[in-house]
Every structure is written in C-alpha cells, then in structure tokens.
Amino acid sequence: MEKIYNTIIIGSGPAGLTAALYAGRAEIEPLVIAGLQPGGQLTITTDVENFPGFPEGIQGPELVANMTKQAERFGAKIAYENVAGVDFSQKPFKVKTDGNEYQAKSVIIATGAEVKWLGLENETRLRGKGVTACATCDGFFFKDLDIVVIGGGDSAMEEALFLTKFGKSVTIVHRRDEFKASKIMLKRAQDHPKISFITDVTVVDILGEDSFSGIRIKDNKTGEERDVAAKGYFVAIGHTPASKVFQEAGIEVDAKGYVIPKEFTQTNIEGVFVAGDVHDHRYRQAITAAGEGCKAALDVEKYLTEKAQE
Ligand code: NDP
C-alpha cells in the first residue's frame, strides 16, 4: 500500500521549512514539496540583515540552505517537485505533483506569494543590481541616493515612507492620477519633504548597464517620453498569493486570493493548515513566515494526536 504521510508541507520558504523543522522534531516525518522556486522569495534576496541570529547578515540562499539542512536533520524529506493539484475532498488527502501522487493525513499550505513585477526585460536583468521589491530588506543599501518607487497603493506609500530614512529623494511613479492607497497613507507620503510624485505615466524601460541608473517613462496623455535618473528601483504594485490549486480544492480565500485561516492556522477544511505569505499580505517577512510555520506544525501535531485518540 502506498505510504500515507502524517503531514505534507507544500512550499519551502521560511514558513514551510520551519514547519518541517518542528514537524520533524515532533517525529511526524513530514514530506516537503519544495515547488518550482525552492526557498521562495528569499532566494531572490541578497543580504538578509533582519533575520535575528545573524549579526553580520546572511545571504538569502544561504539562509534557505541552512533551514533545509536543519529540517532534514530531524527527518524531513524534501521532494523537489511542483504541486499540480490537490484533492482535499476525502481523507487521506492527495497531493499530485508533476510526476507523483502523495497521500497525507494533514497538509500545511506554505506556498507564499510572488512579487508582481512590471515585466520589463531590463527589470529582470538588473534585479539585485539596484532593482528590488523589498524596502525593508534592501532600503539600507541606498543611503543618500535617489530612489524611485513604482505603484500607487498602500504598499508603494509604505515603501516610499520607509525609504525616506535612507534615500536622498524618493519619487513615487504611478500609472494614474488617482491613488488606490488609503487617504491617510497617501497624505503621509504627500506631506513628506523627501517624497515627490510623477503620475499618469507608464514606465517603458529600466535603464543601466551593470547597475540600475534610471527609468524611461511615457506621459499617458501626451505620449512624450523622458528619463528619470535614480540609483534605487523599488516595485510595489502588489503580490499574488500562490493559492490557485487550493482554491480549486475548496480552500477559502479572500477577494485577492489569500487563504483565510479559520481557527488559528487551520483553514476551512479540517486537517489543512496554512502558514506564511499565502495568507499574510500584511507583514510578509521571513521571520513572521517562519513563526507561522512553527505555529502550523504545532497545530498539526495537536490535530494528529487528537485524531489518533478518536
Ligand atoms: P494594491 O493592489 O492595493 O495596489 C497596487 C498598485 O499598483 C495600484 O496603485 C495599481 O495601479 C498599481 N499597479 C498594479 N499593477 C500595475 C502595473 N502592471 N503597472 C503599473 N502599476 C500597477 O496593492 P498593495 O500591495 O499596495 O496593497 C495590497 C493590500 O495590502 C491592500 O489591501 C493594502 O491596503 C494593504 N496594505 C496595507 C498597508 C498598511 O495599512 N500599512 C501597507 C501595505 C499594504 P492602479 O491603482 O491603477 O490599479
């Protein structure tokens, strides 16, 4: 008979790997399905200076490698596969990957969220070379430099306000005259002496050879193009939670696709738990995701114990 895992953890960012560590230490022998981008968003970050325990900072990929090793040391198995579909309609649950089908008594969804990028070719090429998506992670590297922030929502305002601590100037570049951002956040940004706005424009290119040097924008009304010089580029046009396959399996999500936990980390389906950015659009930090992974594993342990006593 095919093995039935106690728990399958889907996702291998800080939430998934911390869940794996705790589940491993609880002798649950978890299976982690690592996904297409093992390690998640941390793997596209360079220096992580805000994860406690590393006074000199640590490289994102190294942090992921350490977390993986630590989880494996306590018996977690890692499958470098991508989840294609899940069946939560009966127990044991089924998790299908591109090449296999696994069964489990419980599942932790820790698939994270992806940063939305503008999708320009040079934006990808210059990523990590002045082009980034996380002010909390990278703001520090732009001391006394000019910065552009792309977006018109609360994230853009928040990133811009945070970046004023470091940058010489922060320019918010938005595609419309109206803002999605809440009035209070917008006003805070408008009132800040270091922040200015360029609105009703489309970013048509990202400039720079070896490192980012500015953006080319097109005025949406006149069609006129011009360049704006800057050293730091922060995109803040939203995130997309990786929840599609779970929605299809009946997991409750909000209007933007974020999984809604029902009680503690448990979702609307008994035995299915959630941790990290796939449900958290507010904090989105490696450390908060790790904390949630820990909580989900503890909830799984309790759930399995209770089920075994039934
Ligand atoms: P939002 O979806 O609210 O805003 C995204 C912004 O990016 C919009 O202004 C949108 O423009 C723009 N945008 C989207 N796609 C593109 C594109 N392809 N090209 C150019 N511009 C684009 O996302 P946020 O991440 O800002 O916020 C997500 C949620 O998190 C919100 O509910 C927000 O309130 C919340 N949040 C709260 C904070 C707080 O309270 N402190 C801080 C951060 C987020 P357009 O307006 O034209 O659609």
Side-chain angles (χ1 to χ4, degrees), residues 131-148:
V131 168
T132 165
C134 178
T136 337
C137 324
D138 298 328
F140 185 77
F141 304 112
F142 297 93
K143 266 193 180 155
D144 299 322
L145 297 173
D146 295 317
I147 295 169
V148 290

Side-chain angles (χ1 to χ4, degrees), residues 213-231:
S213 65
I215 52 172
R216 180 157 300 153
I217 52 172
K218 186 167 120 184
D219 187 297
N220 290 338
K221 284 204 184 80
T222 64
E224 207 174 290
E225 289 191 6
R226 70 179 170 103
D227 294 349
V228 179
K231 288 288 180 205

Side-chain angles (χ1 to χ4, degrees), residues 25-298:
R25 285 178 54 78
E27 300 189 335
I28 290 172
E29 297 180 347
L31 173 69
V32 178
I33 303 195
L36 278 184
Q37 189 187 37
Q41 291 180 57
L42 273 182
T43 54
I44 54 162
T45 314
T46 50
D47 296 85
V48 180
E49 295 188 327
N50 55 8
F51 200 92
F54 301 94
E56 306 303 327
I58 182 165
Q59 297 288 304
E62 193 186 346
L63 181 57
V64 169
N66 286 349
M67 286 182 178
T68 308
K69 241 189 267 167
Q70 199 174 353
E72 283 178 325
R73 187 179 141 209
F74 294 104
K77 294 269 173 298
I78 312 221
Y80 290 93
E81 296 167 29
N82 193 40
V83 169
V86 291
D87 182 356
F88 294 155
S89 63
Q90 53 191 1
K91 287 178 182 146
F93 299 132
K94 290 192 177 63
V95 178
K96 294 175 202 125
T97 65
D98 297 331
N100 287 303
E101 182 170 303
Y102 299 99
Q103 301 188 75
K105 294 179 193 163
S106 66
V107 167
I108 298 177
I109 300 171
T111 41
E114 284 174 52
V115 165
K116 267 169 65 181
W117 296 89
L118 287 180
L120 297 164
E121 208 180 309
N122 284 336
E123 192 186 43
T124 315
R125 186 175 59 80
L126 293 170
R127 213 175 281 174
K129 295 169 184 157
V131 168
T132 165
C134 178
T136 337
C137 324
D138 298 328
F140 185 77
F141 304 112
F142 297 93
K143 266 193 180 155
D144 299 322
L145 297 173
D146 295 317
I147 295 169
V148 290
V149 174
I150 316 298
D154 280 338
S155 292
M157 303 307 134
E158 192 171 66
E159 300 273 278
L161 285 160
F162 181 78
L163 288 165
T164 58
K165 287 192 207 163
F166 310 103
K168 184 165 80 184
S169 76
V170 180
T171 307
I172 295 174
V173 180
H174 180 39
R175 65 180 175 184
R176 292 190 297 141
D177 277 332
E178 306 278 305
F179 289 89
K180 232 180 186 175
S182 54
K183 283 206 176 79
I184 182 160
M185 294 287 285
L186 178 62
K187 187 164 183 332
R188 246 182 245 162
Q190 284 169 332
D191 288 349
H192 199 288
K194 275 192 184 176
I195 297 180
S196 58
F197 288 80
I198 300 177
T199 58
D200 210 2
V201 293
T202 303
V203 178
V204 290
D205 203 1
I206 313 289
L207 311 173
E209 283 305 316
D210 299 329
S211 63
F212 172 74
S213 65
I215 52 172
R216 180 157 300 153
I217 52 172
K218 186 167 120 184
D219 187 297
N220 290 338
K221 284 204 184 80
T222 64
E224 207 174 290
E225 289 191 6
R226 70 179 170 103
D227 294 349
V228 179
K231 288 288 180 205
Y233 170 100
F234 289 78
V235 70
I237 61 171
H239 284 76
T240 316
S243 65
K244 194 161 167 280
V245 291
F246 309 113
Q247 287 181 50
E248 287 163 3
I251 292 290
E252 261 176 40
V253 298
D254 68 12
K256 288 191 173 143
Y258 288 94
V259 173
I260 306 171
K262 210 163 172 212
E263 195 188 13
F264 302 112
T265 64
Q266 179 159 288
T267 65
N268 60 307
I269 297 181
E270 190 202 58
V272 181
F273 300 80
V274 67
D277 288 13
V278 69
H279 95 84
D280 167 30
H281 52 76
R282 186 176 171 87
Y283 301 105
R284 299 197 301 243
Q285 300 300 302
I287 187 68
T288 52
E292 289 197 354
C294 159
K295 288 192 217 169
L298 295 175

